[in-house]
Amino acid sequence: MRHVYFINLLKKLKRFDFLTNRFYYGSIATPYSHLVYGDDIIAAKKNLQPIVALESTIITHGMPYPDNFKTAIRVEDAVKRQGAVPATIGIIDGNIYVGLSHKQLEILSKTNPANTVKCSARDLAFIVSQKLNGGTTVSATMLIANLAGIPIMATGGIGGVHRDVEATFDISTDLIELGCTPVAVVCSGVKSILDIAKTLEYLETQGVPVVKIGDNPNFPAFYCAETYDQLKAPFNVTNSKDAANLIRIQRELNLRRGILLAVPVPAEHALNPNAVEQEINKALEKAKFMQVKGKNITPFLLKELNEMANGMFLKTNVALIENNAKVAAEIAKYLGEETEISAPLQDTKHLPAIKRSPVVVGGAILDTVLQVKDSEIKVS
């Protein structure tokens, strides 16, 4: 019967997808069948080039047009200058794109935020099923990047524990995804508008390594090189090569969670932490008065901060995301020198790292012959 099973298996076998290192069987839908790869990503996968995933909420909800479109191009260019390939992830008409084209970037840049979903991991299935447009947050970008076999992404700052969490219980799904999805996130720490200390505590609970890249352990606060109360990161590495080595070892140990790699905003663009804190408190008071809540609070506060300071916050935001993309590309290149970074993690535990090899599907037939001697036959 076993050879019949293998014959039926071969009949059902549709194709082996080199992009994800997985087989597709018959018409059975898989998570990977919902991903649409850009031409640059297909070429990068074939040539085993380092790839950096980029989120798209900064395009759809983080900045006004045309600043958002210009920033998206600048961030992708920062990745390219380091010899890596950018894969901006976004959703258009229910299609999940891994590697948006310039035309698609412009489509998302021009969409009305009110008609475009700020897409976290929770929202993915609904957006795809309803064929909507969506800008992916860190959590959704991590999830999609992992499906696509991309182990590193860049963003401005992650979401986290909101201020007044005791009353709202508002905690970003970015933290949940970091605790269960093996993608490294390069960022300038946690967005300044959040409760950074509580966010670090929550990440510890989730078992997420938080690593500052730089000469000191001071944890960055998005617009600022450090928090106003000078919080320290649990771990510190001095350069991109050491960060890549950390990612490699975490993957070899099959620790299926993310890594937060915190990069301070370039010194020439860093803002004063105390001054930023004062502006944030003003914006929070306005949000409270206008009863802005939930996923609308972050875009609202960022918009308010930018308007308060005549574009100063926006300029810093652009500078830090561009720098983070550069660092992520450096890490991806170092990571690619020792490991095949475009291949996704195996689901089976404790598998040794191996290079790709041909897969042979076949069967074995065992014939059994039973012989009985005449002298042993007894008739009753």
Side-chain angles (χ1 to χ4, degrees), residues 36-54:
V36 182
Y37 295 89
D39 292 340
D40 289 347
I41 305 307
I42 293 174
K45 286 283 187 176
K46 286 182 178 178
N47 299 321
L48 300 181
Q49 294 174 271
I51 302 172
V52 176
L54 302 169

Side-chain angles (χ1 to χ4, degrees), residues 32-274:
Y32 319 104
S33 60
H34 291 286
L35 305 185
V36 182
Y37 295 89
D39 292 340
D40 289 347
I41 305 307
I42 293 174
K45 286 283 187 176
K46 286 182 178 178
N47 299 321
L48 300 181
Q49 294 174 271
I51 302 172
V52 176
L54 302 169
E55 53 111 331
S56 53
T57 299
I58 193 171
I59 303 170
T60 57
H61 294 80
M63 298 178 184
Y65 182 82
D67 295 314
N68 53 359
F69 178 66
K70 292 178 181 178
T71 299
I73 300 301
R74 286 179 60 175
V75 170
E76 288 200 343
D77 287 344
V79 173
K80 292 176 183 177
R81 283 194 294 271
Q82 302 305 313
V85 179
T88 303
I89 293 172
I91 306 172
I92 299 176
D93 297 330
N95 296 306
I96 302 174
Y97 289 95
V98 180
L100 292 167
S101 66
H102 280 198
K103 183 178 180 180
Q104 290 169 330
L105 285 172
E106 190 162 21
I107 289 172
L108 285 182
S109 299
K110 290 181 176 179
T111 55
N112 185 342
N115 300 325
T116 304
V117 182
K118 182 184 176 186
C119 175
S120 67
R122 176 196 69 171
D123 309 306
L124 271 174
F126 181 81
I127 295 172
V128 172
S129 68
Q130 299 298 309
K131 301 188 183 305
L132 303 176
N133 289 352
T136 56
T137 64
V138 170
S139 68
T141 304
M142 286 184 71
L143 193 154
I144 295 166
N146 187 49
L147 288 176
I150 303 173
I152 189 166
M153 67 161 288
T155 185
I158 65 165
V161 178
H162 282 254
R163 304 186 188 204
D164 296 327
V165 67
E166 297 85 354
T168 65
F169 211 66
D170 193 347
I171 300 174
S172 171
T173 54
D174 292 354
L175 307 185
I176 306 297
E177 207 64 40
L178 275 161
C180 63
T181 301
V183 172
V185 179
V186 180
C187 63
S188 291
V190 183
K191 290 185 175 70
S192 304
I193 58 177
L194 304 172
D195 191 321
I196 298 176
K198 286 188 175 68
T199 299
L200 291 175
E201 288 291 340
Y202 196 93
L203 287 169
E204 180 184 1
T205 301
Q206 291 289 312
V208 177
V210 176
V211 185
K212 160 74 180 297
I213 301 178
D215 296 330
N216 62 65
N218 294 341
F219 190 74
F222 200 54
Y223 301 115
C224 313
E226 60 184 22
T227 63
Y228 72 93
D229 50 355
Q230 295 187 325
L231 292 171
K232 307 297 181 186
F235 306 109
N236 177 219
V237 296
T238 57
N239 54 58
S240 298
K241 188 173 184 179
D242 288 346
N245 189 47
L246 172 63
I247 296 170
R248 178 181 60 80
I249 292 175
Q250 173 128 329
R251 289 167 65 84
E252 289 175 354
L253 293 173
N254 203 25
L255 300 175
R256 300 191 63 80
R257 52 180 50 85
I259 300 175
L260 188 71
L261 298 171
V263 180
V265 58
E268 63 271 22
H269 296 285
L271 303 182
N272 181 280
N274 292 314

Side-chain angles (χ1 to χ4, degrees), residues 297-368:
I297 187 70
T298 297
F300 175 85
L301 292 174
L302 293 177
K303 182 174 180 291
E304 285 297 311
L305 288 173
N306 186 49
E307 291 177 354
M308 285 179 182
N310 297 318
M312 179 177 62
F313 284 95
L314 177 60
K315 291 177 182 177
T316 299
N317 196 357
V318 172
L320 66 87
I321 179 61
E322 189 175 355
N323 185 59
N324 293 344
K326 169 182 171 290
V327 174
E330 291 174 353
I331 295 171
K333 281 196 69 178
Y334 282 123
L335 191 59
E337 290 176 359
E338 298 186 18
T339 59
E340 193 174 305
I341 65 167
S342 61
L345 285 175
Q346 299 285 346
D347 291 330
T348 307
K349 292 183 179 180
H350 313 311
L351 281 180
I354 58 174
K355 293 185 178 295
R356 290 179 181 173
S357 58
V359 176
V360 178
V361 179
I365 300 174
L366 177 64
D367 291 327
T368 302

